[in-house]
Amino acid sequence: MTLDQLIALDAIVATGTFRAAAERMNKAQSAVSHQIRKLEAELGFDLFSRDAYRPSLTSEGEVFYRETARVLEQVNGLKSVAAGLRSEQEPMISVVMTATMSLDPILMVLGAVGRKFPETHIRVSTEMMGGPLARLIEGDADLIIAGLEGVPLDDVETLPVGAIVIRPVASPDFPASQRTGMRSRQEMQAYTQVIVSGTGGRTFDQSRDLLTGGQRWTVSDFEAKKSVLKAGLGWGGIPEHLMQHELANGELVPLTVEGYPPRHTEIFAIRRRDQPMGQVMSRLWADLQQARQLTPDPDSNR
């Protein structure tokens, strides 16, 4: 059993065919087929059923592939460790955060890394909607802090770092706020929905929580959105931590809208698997893992 055979197995499962796997691995299809046949001969059972056009894992193959995926993940982790050990301190690392997330959950980690590696410039920026993912895919970010919507999970490593709640709100003077109870989608189409424009471009555009058929205003950030909502010119969703003051003093009030409940979103630290980590990124990633392990589980006391 060889690592190349396991990589071939993973490529076939990921792409769906031997031909596509060969293209992904830059090998001849016959070479990939030969690797799998040799692996099956060694194991003593078939990994794939070849009765249909697309090969499908046998029951034994499914069990073996699950273990293969774990092994390959460990191998990728070892490669990253090795790259970090032989690398020099990076002159700069770029961290891009979703604007819906507070910096607080990773601020202490960034500070500790910055003190340990004072010669490395740590650049932290925020992007809207699909912007962080776009920066990661384009190679402009070493690490992003964002949700998993649209993220190619096979190509990245992730660490949970927190969660946010986005709640639909409006001014108490806004017509939809004048009574309690559920607002229907049809009723809300008569009102202006205020949305924040993304910074990821059309390829990484995200369209969650958009009410079809209604009028929209688009603003550049959440501060502008709050100003528009407080002026009574529309309704929309805002992360709770960004409007605690406004909710407390009544400048904004929650709305109950059909199909638009408060949205709970898990936020992750995300990095590309194919990008080796230098000393600073390796330390940052390890510290984020440690910080997560030391954070008590809110459900553990229930």
Side-chain angles (χ1 to χ4, degrees):
M1 186 184 308
T2 68
L3 180 58
D4 284 344
Q5 289 170 340
L6 299 183
I7 292 174
L9 171 60
D10 181 63
I12 296 166
V13 174
T15 61
T17 67
F18 281 77
R19 179 178 179 179
E23 292 176 353
R24 174 172 167 171
M25 299 174 64
N26 294 318
K27 291 187 175 183
Q29 182 176 340
S30 59
V32 174
S33 298
H34 179 66
Q35 284 183 318
I36 296 301
R37 290 195 191 97
K38 285 188 64 176
L39 179 57
E40 289 175 328
E42 180 180 350
L43 296 173
F45 54 80
D46 288 341
L47 292 168
F48 292 99
S49 171
R50 298 169 174 84
D51 296 334
Y53 168 72
R54 287 184 174 273
S56 59
L57 287 169
T58 63
S59 56
E60 296 87 355
E62 289 180 355
V63 174
F64 186 81
Y65 174 68
R66 285 199 295 269
E67 296 303 318
T68 295
R70 293 192 183 101
V71 169
L72 292 178
E73 186 169 351
Q74 291 175 338
V75 169
N76 287 330
L78 284 173
K79 289 180 179 179
S80 294
V81 170
L85 291 173
R86 66 174 178 263
S87 69
E88 297 181 355
Q89 183 174 331
E90 304 98 310
M92 183 181 74
I93 61 171
S94 174
V95 179
V96 178
M97 298 189 59
T98 173
T100 59
M101 182 70 180
S102 169
L103 184 61
D104 292 346
I106 68 164
L107 199 55
M108 291 184 63
V109 173
L110 287 175
V113 171
R115 288 189 294 272
K116 183 173 180 61
F117 299 98
E119 296 179 3
T120 294
H121 175 199
I122 299 178
R123 184 179 68 186
V124 181
S125 59
T126 59
E127 298 268 357
M128 305 301 304
M129 306 299 286
L133 179 58
R135 303 294 86 78
L136 183 70
I137 298 302
E138 293 165 358
D140 296 328
D142 300 295
L143 175 77
I144 65 171
I145 308 294
L148 294 182
E149 183 182 6
V151 174
L153 295 178
D154 290 340
D155 301 328
V156 301
E157 288 187 79
T158 64
L159 288 173
V161 295
I164 59 170
V165 177
I166 297 180
R167 186 178 299 276
V169 293
S171 162
D173 298 325
F174 191 66
S177 306
Q178 298 303 306
R179 62 178 178 83
T180 60
M182 177 76 70
R183 304 293 184 275
S184 70
R185 293 168 60 91
Q186 183 176 4
E187 176 186 353
M188 295 306 294
Q189 286 174 341
Y191 304 122
T192 299
Q193 182 181 13
V194 184
I195 63 174
V196 176
S197 60
T199 55
R202 184 167 298 180
T203 302
F204 297 93
D205 192 23
Q206 296 183 4
S207 58
R208 294 179 70 177
D209 302 332
L210 296 184
L211 180 64
T212 57
Q215 183 182 4
R216 295 176 192 158
W217 280 20
T218 301
V219 295
S220 61
D221 54 54
F222 281 109
E223 285 303 314
K225 186 172 185 175
K226 280 198 302 183
S227 295
V228 174
L229 298 189
K230 288 192 294 183
L233 299 177
W235 70 279
I238 294 181
E240 283 188 337
H241 70 276
L242 294 180
M243 57 175 179
Q244 290 178 347
H245 177 72
E246 288 80 6
L247 289 175
N249 65 21
E251 290 181 279
L252 293 174
V253 296
L255 293 178
T256 305
V257 180
E258 177 190 5
Y260 292 81
R263 175 159 58 82
H264 297 253
T265 300
E266 295 292 327
I267 302 296
F268 294 81
I270 306 170
R271 63 169 298 271
R272 286 172 50 171
R273 293 183 185 273
D274 63 345
Q275 297 296 317
M277 292 190 290
Q279 288 186 22
V280 183
M281 262 300 297
S282 295
R283 178 59 183 263
L284 175 57
W285 192 257
D287 285 358
L288 286 170
Q289 286 180 309
Q290 181 69 13
R292 179 61 182 177
Q293 292 168 359
L294 295 176
T295 301
D297 185 348
D299 296 326
S300 61
N301 296 323
R302 294 184 182 179

